[in-house]
Amino acid sequence: MAIEIVMPKLGWTMEEGILDEWIKQDGDEVQPGDIIFVVESDKALQEIEAFDGGILRISPDAPPVGSTVKIGELLAYLVEPGETPPFEHAGTREAAQTVPAAAPEASEAAPTARGKNQVLSARDGGPAISPRAKRVALELGVNWATLKGSGSSGRIIERDIRAAAAQAASTAGDLDINISPVARRVAQEAGISPAELATRFPGARITRADVEKVVTQRGADAAPERQPLARIRRLTRDRMVESARATAPVTLTTEADASELHQMRRNLRADGGDIVPSYTDLLAKVVAAALAEHPALNASIEGDEILLHSAINLCLAVDTERGLLAPVIRQADRLSLLELAAISADLVERTRDGNIATEELQGGTFTITNLGMYDIDAFSPIINLPQCAILGVGRIVARQVVLDAEAQRLAIRQMMSLSLSFDHRVVDGAPAARFLQRVKQYIETPYLWLVN
C-alpha cells in the first residue's frame, strides 16, 4: 500500500512551511531514517526523515520547491518496488495510508539531527554544504564543488556562495570592459560595477562622459526599491507589535565597570585554550547566576497567572541574513563557563548558517541582546514574549572615572552600559532594579559568581 508523505507540523504554532529542497528525488530508494526533504518553518531549516522505506514517487502536480505548503498537504508517496503510485490512476488517494514524514525529535535528539546534517551535506561526494547554501548556489549558478567553506569543519555556508558569485561577476566585468582610467575611477566613486558598464556599452571604449551619463540616468530613474517582507521579517514584525501591544514595558539603565571582566577575558585568551568565551558568553554566565537569585525576572504571564520557571533557558539574539533569531542555551545556570561558551558558539554558527533546529529556538525564559560590537552605548530592547524581561548590552569603552571623590583619585576604566526592559505586569520596578544591580555587581567583581 502506498504511504503518503505530507508536510509535517514542526511546532505548536506552525500552520505552514516552505518546501526548501528535495534530498531524495523521484524514483530514489528510501530507507527508514533517510533524509527525504528540507522544510523551512517559522525560523529554521529542518531536515525531515522517513518513518518507512520504499520508492519515492513525487506527483507531477506536487507543490514545487520554494512554495508555501499547508500542514498535512500531500507532497509525495512511498511505494513498494513495482507498485503504481496513486497519482498514476485516478480516484485511489483514499486507498493510500496517510503517514507524515518523521518530524525531528524534541530538543534531546537535536545533537543526532545535527550529526546527520553534516553527513548529508557531503552526500554527493563533494565538500560539505548546508541545504540553504546549496539552494542559493543553484539560484546564482555557482559551482560550489570547488569552494572552501568558512563554516564549522569547513562546511560551505550561504555567505561563501554569495562571495563567490560576487567575485565571479567582478572578474567577468573586468575581462569584458574597455574603460579609460579616469572613467574607471569615476565609476568606482559612483558605485557602478564594471559588469554594469560592460552591459551598457558592449564592445565600446568607455569614457568619463559615458560613466557620468549613467550616473545622471540613475539619479533621474531613482525610485524606492520594493522588497516583499521575508517570512522571518513578517514573523518578527508581528511579534514585536504584539509585544508592544500586550506588555507594560519599562526600561532601566545603568553603567558597570567591566575592567575586571575585560581583564578576565584577556587572561583566558592569553592562556591559549581551545575555547575563549566572548563577552556575550561572560554576560550569559553573569545573567544566569543573577536570575537564580532573582527568579521574578525568569518568569512569564499566562492569563491571570505568573509562571516562575524552574529552568533558566537563555536566549541569545543573533543577527543573521534571514533576520533576527534567538537560539536557546538551556539550563545555563548549570553550565560551566567553558561549557556555556562551547554551546553558544555552536548555536550561533548554526543559526547564521540556517541549520538551527526549530526546537532550539523555543523555550527561552530570558533574552540577552548585545549591540556593543556596533559601538552602541544604550538602547531600549523589546521584550521577547512570552518572557518578561530582556537585557540590552552596550559597548565596553575606556573612560575616565572617579574612584575616590575625597582623595580626588581618577582612573581609566572599561565601562559598559546595561539596559533592562521588563514587563511591569509581571514584575515591579524594585525587584527589576535589584536584579540589574546584581548583574552590575557580578560584572564588576567576577569572583562573586565564579565561587558560586
Side-chain angles (χ1 to χ4, degrees), residues 429-448:
R434 286 193 289 270
F435 166 76
L436 186 59
Q437 182 183 48
R438 191 56 165 166
V439 171
K440 173 185 166 93
Q441 290 172 344
Y442 277 154
I443 290 173
E444 295 181 339
T445 50
Y447 68 83
L448 289 177

Side-chain angles (χ1 to χ4, degrees), residues 4 19 98 110 123 125 141 148 220 281 317 330 365 450:
E4 290 187 348
L19 180 59
T98 303
R123 63 187 177 276
K148 182 178 181 180
D281 297 333
R330 303 185 187 281
T365 60
L450 282 173

